[in-house]
Amino acid sequence: MRYTSANFLKQRNIFFIRGFIILLFTSLTVKINLCFSNTLPLKTLELDGHFNFDEVHHAAKDFGNRFQFLPAAVLHPKSVFDIAITVRHIWQMGTSSELTVAARGHGHSLQGQSQAHRGVVINMESLKNSAMQIHTGKFPYVDVYGGELWINVLHETLKFGLAPKSWTDYLHLTVGGTLSNAGISGQAFRHGPQISNVHQLEVVTGKGDVVNCSKEENGDLFHSVLGGLGQFGIITRARISLEPAPAMVKWIRVLYSDFATFTRDQERLISAENMFDYIEGFVIINKTGLLNNWRSSFNPQDPAQASQFNSDGKTLFCLELAKYFNLDKTETVNQEVEKMLAQLSYIPSTLFMSEVTYVDFLDRVHVSEVKLRSKGLWEVPHPWLNLLIPKSKIHIFAEEVFGNILTQTSNGPVLIYPVNKSKWDNRTSVVIPEEDIFYLVAFLSSAVPSSTGTDGLEHILTQNKRILEFCETAHLGVKQYLPHYATQEEWRAHFGPRWEVFAQRKSAYDPLAIFAPGQRIFQKGNSIHFS
């Protein structure tokens, strides 16, 4: 009886294991067949460019270096119509297909926003070699493809003595990528973000239609796409406003030990006429020998005083300014800068200046990139946190965050500078605080791989979480820039009363939720809710 019972149990276990293996292989076969059936029709499309179904791993990573979602295919378009044909085909497949589409520029998203799990990633840089069209005259502009890098736009427009008005700090990003977010740098206080300097767009919608839009023509689509996180259309061409380009930049850095004085001077500067052309700031936490580090590219106004400066471990605040000029105006600009600086209340011994070309100033971050790449420190996790904070709450924020949460040396720059809401168009999809002046505070951390210390990924993520939780509990009215959330409920809270308009626009321009699945706002196959 014991032998029979043991034999029976053995046979039952064998049957169970066989059944499990059959079920496993059946499930895998279904998934493989589903993926194959989704991508097979793509191979029949007649395109100028081509699909790649094998070499797709590069499209499953980004600058954030934290999320990896493998696509089924990567499209390398040679024309706008390649994109339109592909999107239209996926649209016509309907909900029976799980294929989604993500536009990928230079891959500088942070949370997998440009990835499409088992979907199609469009390599927008395949379009960037198309010629730019530069129009001079009273109101100059450039027509440029969405996959072009801003650094290339700069070099090309400078041939005509022109340049875009508003920038990001880092220029090796695509035009379509930054316009899908906002595009902010130290010029935003005067010219607004990059999305405030666009005349016209060419967009491929979620139905595969190619639509030209502007404020006057198809205005709702135009404003939807600007800052729309890729949800409503793929920007394939943009008409960007230009202005006469300067030759040189007077680049200035000064330090403050008092946050109230620092912000008061910043706010005064962004409200004044004909002062500086660029205004930013950053926070310096527990760093010594800082001024000596600046000497490689900046000259102290008073070397003797600067050499005696000691931070004493204090948290300091750096005001960074730039004044553009041409060489024939050097003496006049020097006098203007001296007069403007006399109105500020910085620590006198910390005045450092430099004169560089306009290109070198705008492309300044690329120098740091080259250095970090040489040390193998560029392609590391970047758990960045970017916040837009109302002016009335910035002191409460600073006291807690710079006083209690972020107390050790930061693992990357911490930017902080104000912008004027009047320079932003509230018809776009970007969500900003309600006050007339608000601050961008950006924690641009880099995590050291495998570290379990304060420079490790988990520590930085915990720190970011503490900052966000404080903002929530203190009711600061903060909005994330380059936002990322895990649930639609969180996205609803982010958009607040503007959620209904955002969802209606999604229903109008991408009703199947094909676009930008990596943003995790809408899911293909689920109905879009308006309230």
Side-chain angles (χ1 to χ4, degrees):
M1 285 293 293
R2 287 181 181 177
Y3 174 79
T4 303
S5 177
N7 190 47
F8 172 75
L9 290 173
K10 183 178 179 181
Q11 287 180 340
R12 190 175 69 174
N13 287 340
I14 291 172
F15 281 125
F16 175 79
I17 292 170
R18 284 178 178 173
F20 177 76
I21 292 172
I22 291 170
L23 183 64
L24 177 64
F25 275 101
T26 301
S27 176
L28 288 172
T29 303
V30 168
K31 287 185 177 180
I32 291 169
N33 287 340
L34 179 61
C35 184
F36 182 74
S37 64
N38 274 327
T39 59
L40 180 61
L42 298 177
K43 298 179 180 180
T44 65
L45 298 179
E46 295 185 8
L47 306 173
D48 297 323
H50 68 281
F51 280 102
N52 198 316
F53 299 93
D54 300 316
E55 298 177 10
V56 298
H57 288 80
H58 69 282
K61 61 178 295 186
D62 58 21
F63 184 67
N65 233 325
R66 293 179 52 216
F67 297 90
Q68 291 195 4
F69 299 106
L70 200 66
V74 174
L75 172 63
H76 300 270
K78 292 300 179 187
S79 70
V80 172
F81 298 104
D82 285 352
I83 298 173
I85 290 168
T86 301
V87 173
R88 180 177 290 273
H89 185 76
I90 294 173
W91 153 257
Q92 290 174 341
M93 292 173 72
T95 55
S96 63
S97 165
E98 67 172 6
L99 286 178
T100 54
V101 175
R104 175 187 170 88
H106 210 47
H108 271 78
S109 56
L110 299 171
Q111 305 281 336
Q113 290 99 326
S114 64
Q115 300 175 29
H117 182 50
R118 292 204 297 248
V120 175
V121 170
I122 300 177
N123 177 17
M124 296 300 293
E125 288 193 281
S126 292
L127 289 173
K128 76 176 183 179
N129 293 323
S130 302
M132 297 181 213
Q133 299 294 323
I134 297 169
H135 299 259
T136 59
K138 187 175 181 180
F139 301 103
Y141 62 85
V142 58
D143 284 329
V144 57
Y145 281 88
E148 191 62 79
L149 298 180
W150 282 102
I151 184 65
N152 296 334
V153 177
L154 173 63
H155 286 306
E156 196 65 26
T157 55
L158 282 176
K159 295 176 183 177
F160 297 81
L162 300 167
K165 300 173 182 177
S166 191
W167 298 96
T168 52
D169 288 334
Y170 179 65
L171 302 190
H172 296 252
L173 305 170
T174 58
V175 170
T178 65
L179 295 184
S180 295
N181 290 282
I184 311 176
S185 185
Q187 305 86 4
F189 77 96
R190 173 170 293 171
H191 296 293
Q194 290 180 316
I195 59 173
S196 292
N197 296 277
V198 181
H199 294 313
Q200 189 182 91
L201 296 172
E202 178 186 76
V203 173
V204 177
T205 70
K207 296 181 181 180
D209 297 324
V210 181
V211 182
N212 287 317
C213 54
S214 64
K215 291 180 181 179
E216 296 76 26
E217 179 187 13
N218 299 310
D220 187 63
L221 176 61
F222 178 76
H223 292 112
S224 299
V225 170
L226 292 174
L229 305 175
Q231 289 296 316
F232 311 110
I234 296 173
I235 298 172
T236 51
R237 183 180 56 80
R239 179 167 292 178
I240 309 296
S241 179
L242 302 176
E243 67 177 357
M248 300 294 293
V249 174
K250 188 170 285 292
W251 190 5
I252 302 158
R253 285 180 178 172
V254 293
L255 290 180
Y256 295 74
S257 59
D258 179 65
F259 185 73
T261 307
F262 169 68
T263 54
R264 185 173 64 246
D265 277 359
Q266 279 193 319
E267 290 164 17
R268 177 189 299 165
L269 288 171
I270 70 164
S271 301
E273 293 291 333
N274 301 318
M275 291 285 271
F276 291 97
D277 298 291
Y278 161 100
I279 299 169
E280 284 197 12
F282 53 92
V283 185
I284 302 159
I285 299 171
N286 196 27
K287 286 188 178 179
T288 57
L290 177 74
L291 300 188
N292 288 329
N293 293 336
W294 285 0
R295 290 173 190 266
S296 60
S297 53
F298 289 85
N299 299 313
Q301 186 185 52
D302 189 328
Q305 275 196 343
S307 63
Q308 295 173 7
F309 175 79
N310 191 332
S311 66
D312 295 323
K314 295 178 182 176
T315 295
L316 299 172
F317 307 95
C318 175
L319 176 60
E320 188 170 44
L321 306 166
K323 183 68 176 175
Y324 303 159
F325 68 102
N326 291 315
L327 290 172
D328 60 338
K329 299 290 185 182
T330 301
E331 187 175 342
T332 302
V333 166
N334 285 339
Q335 293 173 357
E336 290 176 354
V337 167
E338 185 176 347
K339 184 179 179 181
M340 291 185 287
L341 289 174
Q343 301 176 36
L344 305 180
S345 302
Y346 56 87
I347 302 170
S349 61
T350 65
L351 173 57
F352 277 65
M353 290 191 185
S354 180
E355 285 187 10
V356 296
T357 67
Y358 185 57
V359 172
D360 285 345
F361 172 71
L362 290 180
D363 201 27
R364 61 198 178 278
V365 177
H366 185 58
V367 176
S368 300
E369 176 190 353
V370 172
K371 291 179 181 177
L372 290 170
R373 282 190 183 277
S374 68
K375 299 176 182 178
L377 296 175
W378 183 255
E379 294 187 359
V380 299
H382 295 97
W384 288 5
L385 177 64
N386 297 271
L387 304 174
L388 303 175
I389 303 172
K391 169 189 167 182
S392 66
K393 305 294 184 182
I394 193 65
H395 296 276
I396 299 172
F397 177 89
E399 184 178 1
E400 175 64 20
V401 174
F402 305 136
N404 295 320
I405 297 177
L406 195 67
T407 56
Q408 302 178 20
T409 303
S410 54
N411 300 297
V414 179
L415 305 183
I416 178 167
Y417 56 92
V419 293
N420 294 310
K421 184 184 178 185
S422 62
K423 304 297 182 180
W424 295 62
D425 191 330
N426 62 9
R427 293 171 293 181
T428 68
S429 293
V430 177
V431 180
I432 58 177
E434 291 299 320
E435 296 184 8
D436 292 339
I437 294 176
F438 57 90
Y439 279 76
L440 170 71
V441 182
F443 302 89
L444 309 182
S445 302
S446 297
V448 176
S450 304
S451 172
T452 57
T454 58
D455 56 359
L457 178 61
E458 289 307 315
H459 176 83
I460 298 171
L461 290 175
T462 300
Q463 189 170 263
N464 288 349
K465 184 179 179 183
R466 285 185 63 193
I467 293 170
L468 289 171
E469 286 175 347
F470 168 71
C471 292
E472 182 72 21
T473 55
H475 304 290
L476 300 187
V478 169
K479 294 297 181 183
Q480 282 194 33
Y481 176 59
L482 310 179
H484 56 92
Y485 298 101
T487 67
Q488 194 178 89
E489 286 70 29
E490 291 173 310
W491 280 109
R492 286 170 178 262
H494 170 76
F495 285 103
R498 300 185 64 183
W499 168 256
E500 184 174 348
V501 171
F502 192 84
Q504 286 175 343
R505 286 173 164 179
K506 183 69 170 178
S507 181
Y509 303 120
D510 181 25
L512 289 185
I514 290 171
F515 286 147
Q519 294 283 2
R520 305 174 189 87
I521 305 176
F522 302 100
Q523 186 175 348
K524 187 176 181 182
N526 287 358
S527 58
I528 298 171
H529 301 289
F530 300 123
S531 60

